[in-house]
């Protein structure tokens, strides 16, 4: 089966049997789910939830409670997503990592990183905004015997291949190679805040 959840939801927010799930989705809601968007099927918004199994708040932390809930009582997941007319949830990224470009387009680094993952030489990547330009940090996977001269071409090869699959508003301006894997949380998510 596929699923989506967090501790505050005890733990599921959505799930579906593997035989019935829609590719790219993480299932259907287990709780009441809404997308904070004028057009939840086409324009990503924050995934918000409420229900009997949702947390009622954080222990002795009213500031966290105020930030975690909307005025009408929905829990803010911090995840950005869409929901189709059949109730399938599609996660698009994290609200904190979203990049808003100069023309007002929302760019989700996780979507660009998924494209980069399909490029040769990319072991892992991290996309960020630097001065209004999209930059991809890449920890490379180089074949044995790759010489220094060949390494100089690799960032441009990666950038060029990735940009062929990306819309014009989310084109990568620069690829920088890093010399070690990215720092991770215990859940193996990259610690984005370390790489601004």
């Amino acid at each position: 089966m596929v699923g989506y959840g967090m501790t505050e939801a005890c733990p599921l927010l959505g799930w579906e049997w593997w035989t019935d799930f829609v590719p790219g989705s993480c299932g259907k809601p287990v709780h009441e789910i809404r997308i904070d968007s004028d057009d939840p099927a086409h324009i990503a918004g924050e995934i918000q939830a409420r229900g009997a199994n949702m947390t009622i708040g954080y222990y002795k932390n009213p500031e966290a409670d105020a930030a975690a809930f909307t005025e009408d009582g929905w829990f803010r997941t911090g995840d950005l997503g869409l929901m189709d007319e059949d109730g399938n949830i599609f996660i698009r990224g994290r609200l904190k990592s979203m990049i808003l470009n100069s023309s007002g387009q929302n760019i989700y680094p996780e979507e660009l990183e998924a494209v980069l993952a399909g490029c040769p030489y990319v072991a892992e990547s991290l996309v960020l905004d630097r001065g209004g330009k999209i930059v991809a940090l890449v920890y490379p996977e180089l074949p044995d015997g790759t010489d220094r001269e060949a390494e100089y071409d690799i960032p441009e090869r990666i950038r060029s291949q990735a940009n062929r699959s990306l819309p014009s508003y989310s084109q990568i301006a620069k690829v920088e190679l890093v010399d070690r894997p990215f720092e991770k949380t215990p859940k193996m998510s990259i610690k984005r805040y370390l790489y601004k």
Side-chain angles (χ1 to χ4, degrees):
M1 67 179 92
V2 296
Y4 158 55
M6 57 194 316
T7 302
E8 292 87 346
C10 296
L12 282 179
L13 286 164
W15 81 278
E16 186 58 89
W17 291 109
W18 69 274
T19 54
D20 298 327
F21 94 103
V22 173
S25 78
C26 58
K28 292 187 171 76
V30 171
H31 302 281
E32 287 181 78
I33 298 282
R34 73 179 182 187
I35 307 295
D36 186 23
S37 166
D38 292 334
D39 184 1
H42 301 101
I43 300 171
E46 183 178 35
I47 300 170
Q48 299 175 351
R50 68 179 180 188
N53 284 2
M54 292 301 299
T55 184
I56 57 171
Y58 297 101
Y59 184 67
K60 294 184 178 180
N61 195 339
E63 295 83 16
D65 290 345
F69 292 91
T70 65
E71 289 181 12
D72 57 348
W74 290 78
F75 181 77
R76 300 174 187 274
T77 66
D79 294 321
L80 289 166
L82 303 168
M83 188 160 38
D84 69 16
E85 59 277 356
D86 296 321
N88 296 295
I89 304 165
F90 297 83
I91 297 175
R92 290 294 176 253
R94 291 285 297 162
L95 191 57
K96 289 180 182 177
S97 64
M98 184 190 77
I99 298 168
L100 182 65
N101 74 6
S102 59
S103 61
Q105 293 278 354
N106 295 338
I107 300 167
Y108 307 106
E110 297 86 352
E111 291 181 353
L112 277 66
E113 291 159 10
V115 170
L116 286 162
C119 294
Y121 310 113
V122 177
E124 53 184 20
S125 65
L126 180 70
V127 171
L128 40 93
D129 177 20
R130 283 199 185 148
K133 303 277 187 199
I134 297 174
V135 174
L137 304 181
V138 171
Y139 176 62
E141 185 171 55
L142 302 174
D144 290 338
T146 305
D147 63 28
R148 277 293 205 199
E149 199 168 308
E151 273 187 52
Y152 290 117
D153 294 337
I154 289 173
E156 182 54 29
R157 284 185 187 172
I158 294 169
R159 188 187 77 81
S160 173
Q161 180 167 337
N163 281 346
R164 284 195 288 266
S165 301
L166 294 171
S168 60
Y169 67 84
S170 64
Q171 296 278 299
I172 297 168
K174 184 177 183 185
V175 170
E176 296 176 5
L177 300 184
V178 297
D179 59 1
R180 62 179 58 133
F182 296 105
E183 293 286 326
K184 313 258 187 347
T185 67
K187 292 182 180 179
M188 297 309 291
S189 299
I190 294 173
K191 295 181 178 178
R192 290 181 180 275
Y193 62 90
L194 295 176
Y195 300 95
K196 294 291 177 189

